[in-house]
Amino acid sequence: MNGSDALSTTHPASPGVPVVDYHAPFDPGALLSRLVGEHPERLLHVHELPARPAQCVEWPDWLEPTLLGALVGAGIPAPWRHQVEVADTAHGGQHVVVSTGTASGKSLGYLMPLLTDVIDGTRAPNGRGATALYIAPTKALAADQLDRIARLALPAVRPATYDGDTPADERRWIRDHANLVLTNPDLVHHSLLPSHERWASFLRALRYVVVDECHVYKGVFGSHLAAVLRRLRRVAARYRATPTFVFASATVADPAEHASRLLGMPLSSVTEDGSPRASMTFALWEPPLLVDEKGLPSRASTITETGDLLAGCVEADVQTVAFARSRAGVEVVANVARARLGESPDEGLSGGPRGRSPRVSDEGLSGGPRGRSPRVSAYRGGYLPEERRELERALRSRDLVGIAATNALELGVDITGLDAVLLAGWPGTLASLWQQAGRAGRTGQGSLAVLVAADDPLDTFLVHHPESIFGRGVEAAVVDPDNPHVLGPHLAAAAAELPLTDADFELFGPETGPLLDALVAKGLLKKRPRGWFWGREDRPSDHLSLRGAGEPVRVVETRTGRVVGTVDEASAHAQVHTGAVHLHQGQSWVVTGLDLAEATAFAVRGDPGWTTQAQSVSEFAIVRELEGADWGPLRCSFGHVTVTHQVVSFLRRLPGGEVLGEHPLDLPPRSLATKAMWWTLPVDALAAAGVDEADIPGAAHAAEHAAIGMLPLFATADRWDIGGVSTALHPDTGLPTILIYDGHPGGAGFAERGYRRVSEWLTATRDAIAACECSTGCPSCIQSPKCGSGNEPLDKAGAIALLGLTLSRCTGG
């Protein structure tokens, strides 16, 4: 490993812990060697991404002089080529999407024309001048952009964030005076559009709309945003405004197609990245295979392994972010790192008095004497606004050296100085992988990214097949603007904003007519000669969540009534049921009651010494087959289904995994109308393939788990966006049936993508199971972390035979 000779000194405060001369630049190879230590077998592959030089060009001649001076004064002597290409396109009034790498300066591309027009507009003798709207998927990103614009100190620009944290007394000033409003889709949906009369002067002058991080808007969330943007175009037209839309995205397969589906209009794309890129060392890491007391194989916990690696980075004073896929995972990663460093949760930034952990080293791999102890914290959704702001400040100031985060920190928050990124499991898509890895190396020096494989089929496949990561392009985003479960409520919201007319059919698409008829039949809209009108006193937007999560469930401290945090409604049954042990900011809370009607869980602080795991049952009904194909005696289908899921009990487990007991719960079932692909297999064909009738439940269940785990390789889905149900005899088919469904109302396009590529998908699934080194099945092949029945029954050999039969028929073998 290059740079290993730098590991030549030992700091006296930490005997045996090698450190690096802080005068040297950060050496990713040195840090990786340190992390590997005595376990080289865990490091499966190292990929080096070379540095890329900058492609600089001249500033546009139309750029407003005050702005030009501010940019040069901010340390930007010349723009990169793609920035000027975006700026020229938008300044010319043409909609455009820029899709380049992380830290490639996409924001300057749209800020140049936006700020130029805003400044020029303030010189007009009458009127408000030009205005602009910036839409980001997270409040943190909008706040980050505001800070960046404010640092330019442009007197004519009056920027302001407008989100759920904005005090009521500031909102009127923003509507009446701000000429650049930074917000999120939820506030556009809930506030700006329903109250557009209050925004009249802003909307009349609307010149630009920026949609940042547009790769995030996929699946159902993307369908929601597509409807919101169509509503925004319609309301803007009411005030005779035709704004230019600029989309910014991480790399996606076809950015122009994706952005045009979101906007509903064609646009140009800029995809050639002219920014410089420092070299990156990218490592693939697999936790060791262990054998429990019963002789059953399982991987060491990915979360624990990532926590250990994070602690190792912090010990070396390397500022690092560790991404985990769930809120609970983030808390555990931070706790593991704290424990190894000798810190406690109460020493965190928002958990109580500031303690100091023992000093590990005054020197590190990337900096000089710190004079402070390394600290670790967690960052995720569900934290209160003041907690998030404090954590973001601490990261920028390096008061935090290590942080465990969900993808809330993936989305463009400008944290400079990070040297390393750890990924606790595959983040769902290649686009997210590179977006998260790109959080490091923003200071122009080399960086380190480490993907720590989770214990599931896809992660195992990927770390053993590096070409699947480094040898292929990113995925295409899936968006369905015509999803009736999404579009219908938005049509009702649009009618409440301005009566709908026949002229709106082209704007909202071919499903508009039938959906309006259905809304009239339900009494939500009234049909009149001049169009369709909202027919009730309340506002439809108040009952429609863009995030598809329903009303967040508050976690409230029983003794004081203090709101500790929130959990999204879809997860509440499994995460904060009565008796659940819930983690927040590294602290354990025991839920004493869940009031679904009030969307409140009551909890007391304390660690009972065990964890809890919800148990559930699921079933499905086939509503309508949209497509299907016969494969001899087998049949594969795609269509509408209804999935019913109910949490029925929970297990209490000791840290070693031993089950203390199972406790029943009385929670209502939840039904989901969605889209799915499924296939059926006759009992006699399975018997001929070596799967006896008694073994069908375990074989089908195992094949279902593995197929869910491998689908993200072929669709822009996360494993948690997909669900599955298998049965040895389904009443709608009369046969053994395996079903994979989209975990979102109306579907999100993931199951359909699997149906279109079923042969490739199931081939990879079978190969992943067969290649796993376990004998009877483990989380790396057929066990699932989200299985509601405790991964019972499962049959590895049966799954291989079942998938072999399926593939022999679907490929004509």
Side-chain angles (χ1 to χ4, degrees), residues 146-230:
L146 175 66
D147 181 65
R148 188 176 304 177
I149 293 166
R151 288 200 302 267
L152 293 174
L154 299 165
V157 179
R158 300 184 297 276
T161 55
Y162 190 95
D163 57 34
D165 299 335
T166 306
D169 57 349
E170 291 183 20
R171 295 192 175 201
R172 180 168 183 171
W173 183 93
I174 293 171
R175 290 194 300 265
D176 294 343
H177 300 289
N179 48 23
L180 171 54
V181 173
L182 303 101
T183 187
N184 53 62
D186 311 84
L187 265 291
V188 175
H189 163 65
H190 286 294
S191 182
L192 190 154
L193 292 174
S195 306
H196 60 84
E197 296 92 346
R198 298 182 181 181
W199 290 84
S201 66
F202 180 89
L203 290 168
R204 287 192 189 98
L206 187 60
R207 190 73 55 83
Y208 292 99
V209 177
V210 174
V211 181
D212 206 356
E213 304 288 354
C214 73
H215 62 283
V216 173
Y217 302 109
K218 62 181 187 290
V220 170
F221 193 24
S223 300
H224 278 296
L225 182 79
V228 168
L229 293 182
R230 284 157 177 77

Side-chain angles (χ1 to χ4, degrees), residues 84 88 94 104 107 223 243 322 351 378 511 654 749 759 794:
V84 171
D88 283 339
Q94 187 175 353
S104 60
S107 59
S223 300
E511 298 295 320
L654 291 174
S759 177
L794 292 175

Side-chain angles (χ1 to χ4, degrees), residues 370-739:
R370 305 307 312 162
R372 67 168 81 96
S373 306
R375 286 201 294 269
V376 176
S377 187
Y379 183 107
R380 61 169 177 78
Y383 284 5
L384 301 178
E386 55 271 22
E387 292 179 317
R388 295 196 305 269
R389 300 292 180 264
E390 172 67 5
L391 289 168
E392 291 159 17
R393 180 209 62 75
L395 265 179
R396 292 189 179 95
S397 66
R398 285 189 63 91
D399 287 340
L400 274 178
V401 181
I403 190 163
T406 58
N407 68 348
L409 272 185
E410 173 191 335
L411 302 177
V413 177
D414 187 14
I415 306 298
T416 59
L418 293 180
D419 297 306
V421 170
L422 308 174
L423 297 90
W426 178 250
T429 66
L430 270 175
S432 287
L433 179 88
W434 294 118
Q435 187 80 350
Q436 291 181 5
R439 290 299 94 194
R442 286 183 169 235
T443 56
Q445 60 182 356
S447 61
L448 175 67
V450 182
L451 172 62
V452 184
D455 210 1
D456 68 40
L458 179 56
D459 284 48
T460 302
F461 180 88
L462 289 169
V463 295
H464 286 274
H465 296 81
E467 71 280 2
S468 298
I469 297 175
F470 305 112
R472 67 186 179 103
V474 297
E475 310 87 349
V478 177
V479 176
D480 180 12
D482 300 321
N483 183 333
H485 291 265
V486 174
L487 183 56
H490 280 282
L491 288 173
E497 292 152 8
L498 296 167
L500 289 162
T501 67
D502 291 340
D504 293 315
F505 280 46
E506 182 178 356
L507 175 66
F508 287 106
E511 298 295 320
T512 303
L515 288 172
L516 289 178
D517 292 341
L519 291 169
V520 170
K522 292 178 180 178
L524 298 176
L525 297 186
K526 294 180 179 180
K527 178 70 170 69
R528 296 290 184 264
R530 293 190 297 114
W532 289 262
F533 292 73
W534 176 242
R536 293 171 43 168
E537 294 296 323
D538 57 349
R539 301 193 316 183
S541 57
D542 292 340
H543 308 288
L544 174 60
S545 170
L546 303 188
R547 312 281 172 163
E551 182 182 0
V553 173
R554 300 173 302 157
V555 181
V556 173
E557 186 174 23
T558 303
R559 182 176 60 85
T560 64
R562 177 174 66 96
V563 176
V564 176
T566 61
V567 176
D568 63 88
E569 189 266 343
S571 303
H573 288 216
Q575 291 189 12
V576 289
H577 55 75
T578 301
V581 177
H582 177 67
L583 280 176
H584 183 83
Q585 279 285 51
Q587 300 163 1
S588 293
W589 297 76
V590 179
V591 179
T592 59
L594 173 60
D595 187 335
L596 292 173
E598 296 296 325
T600 302
F602 299 94
V604 295
R605 182 175 169 179
D607 185 356
W610 61 75
T611 60
T612 54
Q613 180 181 5
Q615 303 289 287
S616 62
V617 295
S618 299
E619 59 184 26
F620 68 93
I622 296 171
V623 177
R624 185 170 81 255
E625 182 186 81
L626 297 176
E627 298 183 44
D630 288 318
W631 302 335
L634 282 65
R635 182 169 179 81
C636 184
S637 305
F638 169 73
H640 294 282
V641 300
T642 299
V643 180
T644 302
H645 180 84
Q646 184 176 19
V647 175
V648 295
S649 64
F650 69 95
L651 302 178
R652 289 187 299 129
R653 291 184 183 273
L654 291 174
E658 179 185 353
V659 176
L660 293 176
E662 182 172 2
H663 306 271
L665 292 169
D666 183 20
L667 290 168
R670 298 168 56 89
S671 292
L672 174 70
T674 186
K675 291 178 182 175
M677 69 81 60
W678 64 92
W679 76 99
T680 58
L681 309 96
V683 174
D684 55 353
L686 284 167
V691 183
D692 295 334
E693 188 168 0
D695 298 327
I696 291 175
H701 192 195
E704 168 219 322
H705 278 184
I708 291 171
M710 293 302 293
L711 182 55
L713 191 61
F714 302 93
T716 52
D718 186 278
R719 180 177 188 141
W720 303 90
D721 290 323
I722 314 160
V725 187
S726 58
T727 176
L729 178 64
H730 192 272
D732 291 340
T733 65
L735 293 168
T737 305
I738 299 173
L739 176 136

Side-chain angles (χ1 to χ4, degrees), residues 301-314 322 329 332-341 376 404 422 424 452:
S301 165
T302 305
I303 296 299
T304 301
E305 190 89 350
T306 304
D308 285 339
L309 291 172
L310 179 59
C313 294
V314 172
V332 175
V333 167
N335 278 354
V336 168
R338 290 188 191 111
R340 174 170 160 179
L341 294 167
V376 176
L422 308 174
V452 184

Side-chain angles (χ1 to χ4, degrees), residues 225-246:
L225 182 79
V228 168
L229 293 182
R230 284 157 177 77
R231 288 165 53 200
L232 177 60
R233 288 170 49 200
R234 180 171 176 264
V235 167
R238 157 71 176 77
Y239 296 95
R240 295 183 173 83
T242 55
T244 298
F245 284 80
V246 183

